[in-house]
Amino acid sequence: MTKPETMDLRPGHTISRVIKGGWQLAGDHGDVDRTTAIADMEAFVDAGITTFDCADIYTGVEEMIGAFIADLRQRRGAEVANRVVVQTKLVPDLTRLEVFSQADVEAIVDRSLQRLQIERLHLVQFYWWDMSRGHALDALGALKRCQEKGKVANLGVNNWDADSIAHFTEAGFDIAAAQVQYSVLDRRAAQTLAPWATENDVHLLSFGTLAGGFLTERWLGAPDPGFAFSNRSLIKYRLIIDEFGDWNLFQTLLETLNTVGARHGVPLSAVAVRWVLDQPQVAAAIVGARYARHLPQTLKIFDFALTDADRAEIGAVLAQSGGPKGPVFGLESDRNGRHGRIMKYNLNTNPDDQIHAAKGD
Ligand SMILES: NC(=O)c1ccc[n+]([C@@H]2O[C@H](COP(=O)([O-])OP(=O)(O)OC[C@H]3O[C@@H](n4cnc5c(N)ncnc54)[C@H](OP(=O)(O)O)[C@@H]3O)[C@@H](O)[C@H]2O)c1
């Protein structure tokens, strides 16, 4: 088995090019056995997937990763525990943007450090739900002061296209990474963001590479399930498939990924992630996992290379797709649209927050 590739976001900040995603441990994604989920994290680190993505708003997940790191430190020593690179997020609640203070920023950073049981957050990815409300630049300034105090190594952002991130880089902030949805189904990031990010030394960290599990064998040849899922990711990504094309085109894509994978002896999920990793300026793919059960298939991503013929075959299917169109997170930014209605906007102070549609506001 080939070891996962790595990438330097900034000097001294090395990540694995597949990052273990933590959202799936936060609830609404099927059962989570906490003890098993924590124990299984070690298999990722030992396999070379040393970078973990979480968020201040992923309920209970920073604590789980913290429990894992503390246990690893205690059993295997600081050198092994220090291999774990954690990237979290800072996402103030929508309802608090006007009153959100610079002290609130440091309090969230301190809370993340305490939950994660580490002395420095490697990357904090900032997001502000509505730039027309409150003071986003001041909040990022407060995060930079946390960086100067040694509490944060590098700054990142979430779910913004180039024009929004430029707002921060032009104000003098060094943005090491931008986390965005980027997959064979959703190539919005390729339009403006990737070229701009290349010019500005901002690394892209992609999520949605497996479309919440849709880009796996599980859905190959399966009938259209509609939209009635209790798993929040499947609703989110079923909407993205709808933008991509009809269910038949999605099935053609799965068949093509499967044919390419068969040629290399890897699952179609590995082809889907490899395709993203090969796109300009993509530093890593964040692959969500509750346990280590998919880890052997995930590691296959590093066992092969796509050929020009493979890429052309996949490209021929993508050429038939109608979307999603527009900027990164553009569809999702309409809180009353079908992509925006299914999100929760106030998880920072309210872990029991409901989806926007359910609240009817
Ligand atoms: N910034 C944002 O707005 C944002 C949004 C979404 C996600 N994210 C980040 O990205 C991470 C990934 O989330 P995602 O939405 O992009 O989901 P994803 O990685 O596209 O899909 C994750 C799902 O695929 C399954 N899976 C993982 N590896 C597999 C494999 N090799 N074969 C078959 N199934 C496999 C997992 O199953 P199990 O659950 O059984 O392990 C999980 O249900 C999140 O955890 C989070 O860290 C960020």
Side-chain angles (χ1 to χ4, degrees), residues 68-142:
F68 161 63
I69 294 173
D71 176 60
L72 197 63
R73 192 182 292 126
Q74 201 248 324
R75 284 188 297 105
R76 296 177 58 187
E79 191 275 320
V80 177
N82 290 344
R83 284 181 207 159
V84 183
V85 173
V86 186
Q87 47 185 59
T88 191
K89 307 190 182 79
L90 194 145
V91 186
D93 289 348
L94 176 64
T95 51
R96 295 198 68 245
L97 294 183
E98 282 84 357
V99 296
F100 194 75
S101 73
Q102 300 187 32
D104 289 332
V105 171
E106 188 157 5
I108 290 175
V109 166
D110 287 341
R111 186 180 65 181
S112 293
L113 286 167
Q114 191 202 3
R115 287 170 169 175
L116 285 160
Q117 306 194 42
I118 54 179
E119 284 170 5
R120 179 183 292 191
L121 305 170
H122 298 92
L123 183 73
V124 177
Q125 302 154 107
F126 177 67
Y127 187 64
W128 193 263
W129 289 111
D130 188 338
M131 298 287 263
S132 69
R133 292 164 58 175
H135 304 283
L137 271 175
D138 290 349
L140 193 59

Side-chain angles (χ1 to χ4, degrees), residues 21-24 53 158-159 179 208 210-212 237 288 290 293 298:
W23 186 36
Q24 284 71 18
D53 186 74
N158 258 298
N159 289 330
Q179 181 171 143
L210 295 182
Y237 293 112
R290 286 173 298 161
R293 63 182 179 176
T298 303

Side-chain angles (χ1 to χ4, degrees), residues 140-188:
L140 193 59
L143 197 56
K144 189 177 174 190
R145 278 188 290 286
C146 291
Q147 187 182 25
E148 286 155 5
K149 288 183 185 176
K151 296 182 180 187
V152 173
N154 284 301
L155 307 182
V157 293
N158 258 298
N159 289 330
W160 275 317
D161 212 317
D163 53 347
S164 299
I165 309 174
H167 200 59
F168 299 109
T169 52
E170 283 164 14
F173 293 101
D174 177 29
I175 304 296
Q179 181 171 143
V180 292
Q181 186 175 165
Y182 197 172
S183 71
V184 281
L185 289 173
D186 180 357
R187 293 168 289 137
R188 287 175 289 178

Side-chain angles (χ1 to χ4, degrees), residues 273-337:
V273 178
R274 186 73 253 176
W275 184 93
V276 178
L277 287 179
D278 291 348
Q279 300 309 307
Q281 206 55 16
V282 171
I286 309 167
V287 177
R290 286 173 298 161
Y291 308 112
R293 63 182 179 176
H294 304 301
L295 184 58
Q297 293 105 297
T298 303
L299 289 169
K300 294 245 172 23
I301 295 163
F302 300 104
D303 271 353
F304 77 109
L306 290 173
T307 64
D308 288 345
D310 297 335
R311 274 189 280 272
E313 224 168 297
I314 296 167
V317 183
L318 301 188
Q320 298 171 51
S321 137
K325 288 201 178 93
V328 165
F329 214 65
L331 295 166
E332 295 85 343
S333 300
D334 174 1
R335 286 195 285 281
N336 295 310

